[in-house]
Amino acid sequence: MKLESDGMTGSGAWELSRWCGETAELLRELCRDSDRRARNWWNDECDRPEEVENAPRRGEDILSFADRLQTEGYEWAAKAGSLFAEEDGIDATVHVDRFKPADEDDGPFDGEELMTPSPAIALRFDFDAELVELLKTIFHRARCSRSGRGRPFSRTPKAGGWSKKSGCWWVRSNYWVQVRQSLLDNGVRLSGPLANPRNVKDGFFERQQVWHVKHCAWL
């Protein structure tokens, strides 16, 4: 699908990505009552951005259309990342360290029932609106890459988020390599103990450390 993005900003593309994802989820919810109800909402009540490319095809069920709409959302997220990189650039440094929750309710968790804390790293930086938007886009794209076809997006763990209690952003350990590379690709400088791997001695040879998800560290 070729998206028409002439004259669009990164923030604009991100908003379209968010709209597609949220609308796809709403259509799935409406389909629990009936396909007709979801179709009527789309035709009569939905306020659609003119840039959205997809619409239900003749004879297509709404659940299939919702999948296509969500896929378009993924593509808008990718476009947003490219546009952010093409714009003024991100002149910022992010300090990277292990995330230490402020209390037992802070940070990411694995499993809604068990509420097992998930290992994560902390990102700290002086407030920068562009960097915040870039982070949100990177988190969204990383989450989309883990969401399989037909699997509800809401069931895929978030890549990262903001911790009001700790006053920093967090990234799940199993997403860090992907998020880190995206930050570097957009010109963001990284500092701190978990920012970058080091070269270490391994017998007679030297190797670069690799990211260990469970230990949340370069080893």
Side-chain angles (χ1 to χ4, degrees):
M1 179 189 303
K2 181 175 175 57
L3 301 177
E4 295 297 330
S5 59
D6 291 346
M8 185 173 292
T9 64
S11 295
W14 163 254
E15 285 302 313
L16 286 170
S17 171
R18 183 185 60 80
W19 185 91
C20 288
E22 292 178 355
T23 302
E25 284 299 311
L26 177 56
L27 286 170
R28 294 185 182 109
E29 287 293 323
L30 293 173
C31 278
R32 292 183 179 181
D33 289 339
S34 70
D35 185 276
R36 180 182 295 276
R37 183 186 177 194
R39 191 179 303 276
N40 288 342
W41 178 84
W42 174 266
N43 290 331
D44 302 331
E45 300 179 45
C46 180
D47 184 15
R48 300 184 291 277
E50 61 180 16
E51 295 88 353
V52 171
E53 299 286 340
N54 277 296
R57 296 166 178 162
R58 183 183 296 274
E60 180 182 31
D61 64 85
I62 294 299
L63 282 177
S64 296
F65 166 61
D67 288 343
R68 291 197 298 110
L69 185 62
Q70 188 165 48
T71 297
E72 180 175 344
Y74 299 162
E75 295 183 13
W76 280 118
K79 178 62 69 174
S82 298
L83 290 171
F84 278 129
E86 292 172 2
E87 289 166 6
D88 295 336
I90 305 295
D91 183 19
T93 299
V94 175
H95 183 82
V96 184
D97 203 345
R98 188 178 179 87
F99 180 77
K100 298 178 180 178
D103 58 40
E104 62 181 8
D105 297 321
D106 189 20
F109 296 89
D110 287 326
E112 295 180 0
E113 296 180 1
L114 297 178
M115 294 298 286
T116 304
S118 178
I121 61 105
L123 304 180
R124 291 184 169 85
F125 52 89
D126 294 333
F127 178 75
D128 183 308
E130 279 191 290
L131 179 53
V132 168
E133 287 301 315
L134 175 63
L135 261 182
K136 291 179 180 178
T137 299
I138 291 173
F139 290 164
H140 185 73
R141 292 177 64 185
R143 189 183 185 191
C144 289
S145 70
R146 305 290 176 93
S147 176
R149 181 175 177 81
R151 182 183 180 187
F153 185 63
S154 60
R155 299 287 181 87
T156 304
K158 293 181 179 179
W162 167 253
S163 168
K164 186 176 181 180
K165 294 178 180 179
S166 296
C168 68
W169 292 85
W170 53 261
V171 182
R172 288 180 187 272
S173 180
N174 61 330
Y175 281 97
W176 173 232
V177 171
Q178 183 178 356
V179 170
R180 172 182 176 273
Q181 189 58 54
S182 294
L183 288 170
L184 293 173
D185 289 345
N186 283 278
V188 177
R189 296 180 296 275
L190 303 176
S191 66
L194 298 185
N196 303 299
R198 295 181 294 107
N199 289 329
V200 294
K201 285 286 186 179
D202 189 0
F204 293 104
F205 303 97
E206 189 175 71
R207 67 172 179 82
Q208 189 176 70
Q209 292 176 313
V210 296
W211 184 250
H212 194 292
V213 171
K214 184 175 181 181
H215 288 85
C216 197
W218 296 103
L219 298 177

